[in-house]
Amino acid sequence: MQRIEPLSPEPVPTEPGVPSPSERAPEPVAPERHDVLFACCFPAAAGALAFVGVLRATNAAPDLSVLSDGETGGWWVTTEVDLQLGRQLARMVSAAAYVAAGDHLLPDPGFGPPPVGVSETKSAVPRNTLVSSDVVTLIRTAGVHRVPVRPVERLRILLDGAAAAHIIQRAIDLGLNVRHRPVRLSPLFPGPAGTTTLIELAVSGHRGNLPPSLVNALTRDPAALTCRIAGSQDDLLIEHTVAAPLDDHLLAGLVDAGTWVLAASPFGCRRLDALGEFADSAGLVQLGEDYPLIEEEAPAALPDLQLPAVRIVPRRTEGQALDAVLVDDAELSTIRLLLEGDPLAETARILLGRDRHLLIAPGGILVRIPVGQPLYALGPGPLYLPLGCSLRPQVPPSARRELFHAGQSRAVVLTPRGCWVFDPGTAIPVWALWVGELPELVPQSANDDLRQLLDDLRLDQDQPGPSAHSPDDEAASWHERAMEAELAGRLKEAADLHRGNGSPLRAARLYERAAAEAQP
């Protein structure tokens, strides 16, 4: 026999105490920086320009210097930077790294402290043998290289005014925005090129990229220079089929004033000065001389158009809700048997006619009744068609409103056998079909003495009595208002009444009808 030991109470956790200063974790210590004058040597200008882009992208060296070696033709880039960061950037561009020590540049071993003594190495480079240069000269020497045509949202096109017409027309045909202005182009670098004046077109789409076929055609046009745009102020234009070793947005940061244009030969690199503001090029489009405008006078009478007659034809209407039922005299007794005791009898109405009758309800019947001809509301207003039928030709809502005049005082039912018009003013509750003569009502009012006694017992003569309107009367009133709004074509108002009074299914049907009638 085993003994059951009592459970020990759970230990109460103690509140954590505040650690003493000696127990606290030490504050993180920032890594020690070793800022040095770091230099990288490149055999070609393209490599030096790529390193300039790396420095500008990391924001590690806001100030840098470009030097050239006249003897070897190499290029140097020097900057004040943390030693470890400089080594990583130099490895990334496969450059020979140096550290300045006095008047010399000493090769950096890539680890440990920076070299300090000139006698320690035989590869020291005297700094006075290097010639100071600038990034602009570096860009000119590095040049540009061909790249594939890429998708673009905006283009600038420089061309002669005589060649602008066909490009403007083609862009407008494609639904693009085109603007133009005159510009003056001067050489960006010293050379034999002179100043010239051209037309600048700005082409853009309403949204998304420009059509690739148009971009390819423009880049192959020898009479136009097609450029992509860089810079926050659109101050750098680069020929779209070329690229420099430096990224476009970094090149844009080097623009000192105005706008630069970088392109391959024979156009070359230019400085662009605008001679006016951009104007919409659509104003340049004119009618041809062989395309006159002819004014047409209104005819005295409409021509004979041989209009087709409106007919009711079979059509699939799967999923269509039931909004009304058309019955004849013989089917009224069946309606009584079906709806007596049904919740629909609370709100349904029947519009009496000569030999046809229309059963309706606020928000629609919605439930299938195995009697009569089921109808759906085509609209606008109380305009009904049988399920499985439609109009041919298609008649828009505005035309149906003008042709059939269905509204608060006129309900119209279109069937293949005829068109029936009902007066909503003849509507009676559907329960009137089976509620006949009432039993005799014997009033039981108090005599004069009892009435006086009740008046004396009343504590406050001015206190208002109970409301004369019962909840049933209020329910009936909102049903009537909903039916009135529906017949008048105010479907959203009727739907809101149903939704606010706990009838979401009929509200949804009315919202659906309102949306269908609102469609163009």
Side-chain angles (χ1 to χ4, degrees):
M1 184 174 180
Q2 296 182 352
R3 180 181 178 185
I4 300 176
E5 298 290 341
L7 295 176
S8 60
E10 295 183 359
V12 179
T14 59
E15 295 184 359
V18 179
S20 62
S22 59
E23 297 176 349
R24 295 177 184 173
E27 296 291 337
V29 180
E32 185 179 357
R33 290 177 55 92
H34 295 281
D35 289 342
V36 296
L37 182 60
F38 198 80
C40 285
C41 179
F42 301 89
L49 189 59
F51 185 61
V52 171
V54 170
L55 293 175
R56 291 290 175 86
T58 57
N59 296 323
D63 298 325
L64 54 87
S65 300
V66 178
L67 308 171
S68 63
D69 189 342
E71 297 181 0
T72 63
W75 291 86
W76 293 73
V77 178
T78 64
T79 182
E80 288 280 351
V81 71
D82 176 65
L83 179 61
Q84 297 300 326
L85 177 59
R87 287 170 173 173
Q88 294 298 329
L89 298 181
R91 293 166 186 162
M92 188 170 61
V93 296
S94 302
Y98 289 75
V99 176
D103 295 335
H104 290 76
L105 295 176
L106 308 181
D108 181 54
F111 60 90
V116 293
V118 178
S119 60
E120 299 177 2
T121 177
K122 300 179 180 180
S123 302
V125 178
R127 296 174 62 180
N128 57 8
T129 60
L130 304 179
V131 181
S132 177
S133 185
D134 54 23
V135 179
V136 175
T137 305
L138 192 62
I139 294 174
R140 179 184 182 185
T141 307
V144 294
H145 58 277
R146 293 287 174 179
V147 294
V149 177
R150 294 171 290 179
V152 66
E153 296 183 358
R154 300 183 299 157
L155 285 176
R156 296 287 179 86
I157 306 169
L158 301 174
L159 72 174
D160 187 80
H166 75 281
I167 295 180
I168 293 175
Q169 180 179 356
R170 181 57 178 158
I172 292 178
D173 290 342
L174 294 174
L176 304 177
N177 297 322
V178 190
R179 298 177 297 157
H180 66 276
R181 68 177 179 183
V183 294
R184 179 179 291 113
L185 298 172
S186 55
L188 182 61
F189 308 119
T195 301
T196 184
T197 301
L198 294 176
I199 299 298
E200 180 184 9
L201 300 181
V203 181
S204 61
H206 294 285
R207 60 178 181 272
N209 295 328
L210 295 174
S213 58
L214 176 66
V215 176
N216 290 327
L218 291 175
T219 55
R220 292 195 301 265
D221 191 344
L225 177 67
T226 302
C227 302
R228 63 183 180 273
I229 307 169
S232 59
Q233 303 296 327
D234 295 349
D235 45 10
L236 178 63
L237 306 182
I238 308 171
E239 186 177 359
H240 196 45
T241 56
V242 302
L246 196 60
D247 288 341
D248 292 353
H249 71 283
L250 297 176
L251 278 174
L254 303 176
V255 178
D256 49 4
T259 302
W260 288 5
V261 180
L262 301 184
S265 179
F267 194 89
C269 299
R270 304 295 183 97
R271 188 183 298 275
L272 183 148
D273 296 311
L275 300 180
E277 299 294 333
F278 276 111
D280 191 354
S281 301
L284 302 178
V285 178
Q286 299 179 358
L287 293 176
E289 296 180 357
D290 57 345
Y291 192 82
L293 294 178
I294 302 176
E295 295 186 3
E296 289 285 347
E297 297 181 358
L302 291 176
D304 187 9
L305 299 179
Q306 299 294 328
L307 299 177
V310 178
R311 299 186 180 277
I312 313 300
V313 297
R315 185 180 68 88
R316 297 180 62 184
T317 56
E318 65 278 2
Q320 187 63 259
L322 179 65
D323 295 309
V325 178
L326 182 67
V327 297
D328 54 21
D329 291 337
E331 293 169 324
L332 288 179
S333 59
T334 308
I335 291 289
R336 166 188 173 181
L337 296 175
L338 291 174
L339 297 186
E340 184 176 356
D342 191 279
L344 185 61
E346 178 70 24
T347 58
R349 301 286 187 272
I350 187 163
L351 278 60
L352 299 177
R354 185 181 57 190
D355 53 3
R356 296 289 189 277
H357 315 286
L358 184 62
L359 179 65
I360 60 176
I365 301 296
L366 301 187
V367 294
R368 293 301 175 96
I369 299 177
V371 65
Q373 189 168 22
L375 308 172
Y376 70 94
L378 179 64
L383 177 63
Y384 301 96
L385 277 178
L387 293 178
C389 294
S390 68
L391 296 179
R392 180 182 292 175
Q394 295 289 336
V395 182
S398 58
R400 297 197 298 267
R401 182 182 293 106
E402 183 176 349
L403 294 174
F404 300 108
H405 303 286
Q408 191 171 3
S409 60
R410 180 184 172 96
V412 181
V413 178
L414 304 178
T415 69
R417 293 181 297 173
C419 175
W420 319 102
V421 179
F422 295 89
D423 181 9
T426 64
I428 62 172
V430 72
W431 50 258
L433 297 178
W434 61 83
V435 176
E437 182 180 356
L438 298 178
E440 181 182 359
L441 303 178
V442 179
Q444 296 291 326
S445 58
N447 55 28
D448 295 340
D449 295 337
L450 183 57
R451 192 186 308 275
Q452 182 62 37
L453 178 60
L454 293 175
D455 292 340
D456 293 340
L457 293 176
R458 182 172 299 170
L459 299 178
D460 188 358
Q461 296 290 340
D462 297 332
Q463 184 178 359
S467 174
H469 299 284
S470 65
D472 293 339
D473 295 336
E474 294 180 1
S477 63
W478 81 258
H479 280 128
E480 293 172 358
R481 294 200 309 272
M483 189 78 258
E484 179 182 354
E486 181 180 348
L487 293 176
R490 304 190 303 272
L491 299 180
K492 186 178 182 302
E493 177 184 342
D496 292 340
L497 286 171
H498 282 278
R499 180 182 178 185
N501 288 275
S503 182
L505 192 60
R506 285 180 167 78
R509 173 57 183 155
L510 290 170
Y511 283 132
E512 180 185 7
R513 288 176 54 188
E517 293 184 9
Q519 292 179 355

